[in-house]
Amino acid sequence: MSTPTKTHPELSAVFNKDEQRVNWHDETLWWIRQKRDKSAHSIPEWEILREKASQIKNNALANLAEYLVSFEEKAKANGIIVHWAADAQEHNQIVHQILQKHGILQLVKSKSMLTEECHLNEYLEKQGLEVIDSDLGERIVQLAKEPPSHIVLPCIHKKKEEIGDLFHQHLGVAAGTSDPQILTEAARVHLRETFLTRKAALTGVNFAIAETGEFVVCTNEGNADMGAHLADVHIACMGIEKIIPKRKHLGVFLRLLARSATGQPITTYSSHFKKPRAGQEMHLVLVDNGRTVQMGREDFRASLKCIRCGACMNTCPVYRRSGGHSYHNAISGPIGAILAPNLDREKYADLPFASTLCGSCSNVCPVKIDIHQQLYKWRQVIVQEGYATSSKKMSMKIMNYTLSSPGIYRTAGKAGRWVLKYIPFAVNNHFNPWYKQRDMPEVPKESFGEWYKKNVK
């Protein structure tokens, strides 16, 4: 059973103590959401692309076993050494064994949410190995000893002044430096030495093509290419759901991915890896870690279609105002809230409730995952299986009783309006978390039902 941890409301309260940071975080992510909209609207066939991507992913998941076998066969024929890992522990052990075989104690790693999910860095560090994340955002949170707060923008919660302090402490930048240009140049010098001296590089995988046995890594900084091309050993790690059937399908996803993530037409580098260069060893680790269990849950299977663009986070009003760390999971935001309960329903029972169910996440999802519907279904599963808190179970029972009876519903509505008008302190107090960050609403003179009866014949 999992170790109890702080819940989303508790961690959100910590983030919300700094109102200026909350406002800035909210506005920055909304600005990225607006860039996504502008980019998407510039393509007349945008909705056709989303539908195609959704159907390709449906096909890939429905025939996953066949595509994985085909991919493995082609990859081996290309000279790639293929490994299978049932869970995070086995994945970490496989990576460690590869490094041990070559006597390598230092690893350069590009961004990989799978390795965050498997806690690879912590595992390797316990074995005495050094891991350096080469994505700039990931390197910043690594220096801060924090997990990424966003799957595309790992340090979006940090201000440039805080990054300057970190670089002063770890990279020798002058104290008080906060110029992004100077900080980026310092990181480039630091990472260049890392690329040149590491014998092993680990990358993630955005797409794996069953038809050819090749895989594709998308980055904006070129760090995956630098690491993989200079190292003697290249290890790529991927969840088994990253398979797509054919190379011709790749264009659909590449057009959607960056536009959905940051509003760019395409990622700066979309690198294809098909075989090791002469003298190099290339390994690929295919990881299950609960994915086949999720495949067996019909209501939640579509969550495996995710291409990790982060669009659902950028648009989510709860994520924007509570921060990524409040989700206490490698993948945060709405998509993380439907993936995490599959791994541990007790530990992540709070996450499906971290949503207004407004549906904005589903509207921007490039592969049409019904995220808000799955959040709603997870709530039902969690309550039915007894993982909800006693107060939440009681409130759900009261709501169920009230909403099931028109007479009680009308009476409760009238009582609620009277209380809000004459004794508002009865609900607007520190015992009611709903009002912690909200203003009191104006009390309506009548209910919608009463207005409807008077005005609509």
Side-chain angles (χ1 to χ4, degrees), residues 39 62 112 121 126 172 174 184 191 209 255 267 317 328 374 385 403 423:
S39 184
S112 160
N121 285 18
K126 284 180 182 175
T184 305
L191 290 171
I209 303 169
R255 294 185 74 191
T267 46
H328 58 93
Q374 293 192 36
E385 294 187 357
L403 296 174
I423 50 172

mmCIF file of all heavy atoms in Angstrom, residues 39 62 112 121 126 172 174 184 191 209 255 267 317 328 374 385 403 423:
data_model
loop_
_atom_site.group_PDB
_atom_site.id
_atom_site.type_symbol
_atom_site.label_atom_id
_atom_site.label_comp_id
_atom_site.label_asym_id
_atom_site.label_seq_id
_atom_site.Cartn_x
_atom_site.Cartn_y
_atom_site.Cartn_z
ATOM 1 N N SER A 39 -2.461 29.186 -33.402
ATOM 2 C CA SER A 39 -1.783 28.249 -34.299
ATOM 3 C C SER A 39 -2.771 27.226 -34.874
ATOM 4 O O SER A 39 -2.747 26.905 -36.071
ATOM 5 C CB SER A 39 -0.667 27.534 -33.527
ATOM 6 O OG SER A 39 0.062 26.693 -34.355
ATOM 7 N N ALA A 62 -5.967 -0.859 -30.116
ATOM 8 C CA ALA A 62 -6.769 -2.069 -30.355
ATOM 9 C C ALA A 62 -5.902 -3.227 -30.856
ATOM 10 O O ALA A 62 -6.250 -4.396 -30.655
ATOM 11 C CB ALA A 62 -7.884 -1.767 -31.359
ATOM 12 N N SER A 112 12.464 12.906 -20.368
ATOM 13 C CA SER A 112 11.710 11.670 -20.498
ATOM 14 C C SER A 112 10.763 11.563 -19.312
ATOM 15 O O SER A 112 11.198 11.325 -18.183
ATOM 16 C CB SER A 112 12.663 10.460 -20.521
ATOM 17 O OG SER A 112 11.956 9.280 -20.189
ATOM 18 N N ASN A 121 16.203 8.621 -11.903
ATOM 19 C CA ASN A 121 17.327 9.392 -11.357
ATOM 20 C C ASN A 121 17.641 8.985 -9.918
ATOM 21 O O ASN A 121 18.798 8.748 -9.562
ATOM 22 C CB ASN A 121 17.015 10.896 -11.400
ATOM 23 C CG ASN A 121 17.130 11.467 -12.803
ATOM 24 O OD1 ASN A 121 17.112 10.719 -13.775
ATOM 25 N ND2 ASN A 121 17.238 12.778 -12.897
ATOM 26 N N LYS A 126 21.184 6.225 -6.092
ATOM 27 C CA LYS A 126 21.386 5.305 -4.957
ATOM 28 C C LYS A 126 22.419 4.226 -5.283
ATOM 29 O O LYS A 126 23.040 3.662 -4.386
ATOM 30 C CB LYS A 126 20.052 4.646 -4.584
ATOM 31 C CG LYS A 126 19.106 5.569 -3.821
ATOM 32 C CD LYS A 126 17.818 4.847 -3.481
ATOM 33 C CE LYS A 126 16.859 5.794 -2.770
ATOM 34 N NZ LYS A 126 15.541 5.157 -2.535
ATOM 35 N N GLY A 172 28.303 29.039 -10.912
ATOM 36 C CA GLY A 172 29.253 30.135 -10.771
ATOM 37 C C GLY A 172 28.864 31.424 -11.463
ATOM 38 O O GLY A 172 29.705 32.305 -11.684
ATOM 39 N N ALA A 174 27.439 35.172 -11.748
ATOM 40 C CA ALA A 174 27.523 36.276 -10.782
ATOM 41 C C ALA A 174 26.223 36.410 -9.997
ATOM 42 O O ALA A 174 25.133 36.246 -10.552
ATOM 43 C CB ALA A 174 27.835 37.579 -11.517
ATOM 44 N N THR A 184 21.015 31.431 -19.978
ATOM 45 C CA THR A 184 20.991 30.373 -20.995
ATOM 46 C C THR A 184 22.394 30.069 -21.495
ATOM 47 O O THR A 184 22.765 28.907 -21.696
ATOM 48 C CB THR A 184 20.091 30.797 -22.177
ATOM 49 O OG1 THR A 184 18.796 31.124 -21.676
ATOM 50 C CG2 THR A 184 19.950 29.667 -23.199
ATOM 51 N N LEU A 191 26.446 22.464 -20.000
ATOM 52 C CA LEU A 191 25.967 21.219 -20.605
ATOM 53 C C LEU A 191 26.879 20.751 -21.735
ATOM 54 O O LEU A 191 26.966 19.555 -22.013
ATOM 55 C CB LEU A 191 24.528 21.406 -21.103
ATOM 56 C CG LEU A 191 23.485 21.536 -19.986
ATOM 57 C CD1 LEU A 191 22.124 21.931 -20.545
ATOM 58 C CD2 LEU A 191 23.364 20.222 -19.210
ATOM 59 N N ILE A 209 7.600 3.571 -34.537
ATOM 60 C CA ILE A 209 6.877 3.196 -35.753
ATOM 61 C C ILE A 209 6.973 1.693 -35.974
ATOM 62 O O ILE A 209 8.071 1.157 -36.207
ATOM 63 C CB ILE A 209 7.438 3.975 -36.957
ATOM 64 C CG1 ILE A 209 7.357 5.482 -36.685
ATOM 65 C CG2 ILE A 209 6.665 3.615 -38.229
ATOM 66 C CD1 ILE A 209 8.111 6.335 -37.673
ATOM 67 N N ARG A 255 2.284 17.498 -36.684
ATOM 68 C CA ARG A 255 1.566 18.763 -36.926
ATOM 69 C C ARG A 255 0.740 19.165 -35.712
ATOM 70 O O ARG A 255 0.525 20.346 -35.462
ATOM 71 C CB ARG A 255 0.649 18.624 -38.149
ATOM 72 C CG ARG A 255 1.395 18.424 -39.458
ATOM 73 C CD ARG A 255 0.441 18.416 -40.628
ATOM 74 N NE ARG A 255 -0.041 19.758 -40.936
ATOM 75 C CZ ARG A 255 -1.044 20.012 -41.769
ATOM 76 N NH1 ARG A 255 -1.667 19.012 -42.374
ATOM 77 N NH2 ARG A 255 -1.420 21.244 -42.009
ATOM 78 N N THR A 267 8.145 21.053 -33.589
ATOM 79 C CA THR A 267 9.299 21.129 -32.693
ATOM 80 C C THR A 267 10.560 21.386 -33.518
ATOM 81 O O THR A 267 10.659 20.971 -34.675
ATOM 82 C CB THR A 267 9.474 19.820 -31.901
ATOM 83 O OG1 THR A 267 9.344 18.707 -32.785
ATOM 84 C CG2 THR A 267 8.451 19.707 -30.808
ATOM 85 N N PRO A 317 -8.211 25.623 -15.499
ATOM 86 C CA PRO A 317 -8.216 26.707 -14.501
ATOM 87 C C PRO A 317 -7.715 26.256 -13.132
ATOM 88 O O PRO A 317 -7.181 27.066 -12.379
ATOM 89 C CB PRO A 317 -9.699 27.112 -14.439
ATOM 90 C CG PRO A 317 -10.459 25.940 -14.969
ATOM 91 C CD PRO A 317 -9.553 25.273 -15.960
ATOM 92 N N HIS A 328 1.248 15.996 -6.936
ATOM 93 C CA HIS A 328 2.130 14.962 -6.339
ATOM 94 C C HIS A 328 2.251 13.705 -7.204
ATOM 95 O O HIS A 328 2.169 12.580 -6.720
ATOM 96 C CB HIS A 328 1.682 14.620 -4.911
ATOM 97 C CG HIS A 328 0.263 14.122 -4.740
ATOM 98 N ND1 HIS A 328 -0.043 12.796 -4.735
ATOM 99 C CD2 HIS A 328 -0.914 14.776 -4.552
ATOM 100 C CE1 HIS A 328 -1.343 12.628 -4.545
ATOM 101 N NE2 HIS A 328 -1.896 13.816 -4.443
ATOM 102 N N GLN A 374 -13.584 11.149 -18.078
ATOM 103 C CA GLN A 374 -12.846 10.151 -17.308
ATOM 104 C C GLN A 374 -12.611 10.607 -15.864
ATOM 105 O O GLN A 374 -12.617 9.791 -14.940
ATOM 106 C CB GLN A 374 -11.520 9.822 -17.997
ATOM 107 C CG GLN A 374 -11.711 9.116 -19.327
ATOM 108 C CD GLN A 374 -10.419 8.537 -19.887
ATOM 109 O OE1 GLN A 374 -9.569 8.062 -19.158
ATOM 110 N NE2 GLN A 374 -10.282 8.602 -21.197
ATOM 111 N N GLU A 385 -15.280 2.372 -4.384
ATOM 112 C CA GLU A 385 -14.288 1.437 -3.833
ATOM 113 C C GLU A 385 -13.789 1.853 -2.450
ATOM 114 O O GLU A 385 -12.911 1.205 -1.878
ATOM 115 C CB GLU A 385 -13.111 1.304 -4.805
ATOM 116 C CG GLU A 385 -13.521 0.644 -6.122
ATOM 117 C CD GLU A 385 -12.333 0.348 -7.033
ATOM 118 O OE1 GLU A 385 -11.194 0.699 -6.666
ATOM 119 O OE2 GLU A 385 -12.566 -0.241 -8.100
ATOM 120 N N LEU A 403 -30.549 15.886 -4.771
ATOM 121 C CA LEU A 403 -30.797 16.016 -6.204
ATOM 122 C C LEU A 403 -31.756 14.957 -6.739
ATOM 123 O O LEU A 403 -32.288 15.094 -7.838
ATOM 124 C CB LEU A 403 -29.468 15.929 -6.970
ATOM 125 C CG LEU A 403 -28.472 17.067 -6.666
ATOM 126 C CD1 LEU A 403 -27.143 16.812 -7.367
ATOM 127 C CD2 LEU A 403 -29.038 18.414 -7.074
ATOM 128 N N ILE A 423 -27.543 35.212 7.053
ATOM 129 C CA ILE A 423 -26.458 34.754 7.949
ATOM 130 C C ILE A 423 -25.313 34.145 7.104
ATOM 131 O O ILE A 423 -25.008 32.944 7.207
ATOM 132 C CB ILE A 423 -26.962 33.737 8.996
ATOM 133 C CG1 ILE A 423 -27.766 32.594 8.331
ATOM 134 C CG2 ILE A 423 -27.765 34.410 10.068
ATOM 135 C CD1 ILE A 423 -28.114 31.464 9.293
#
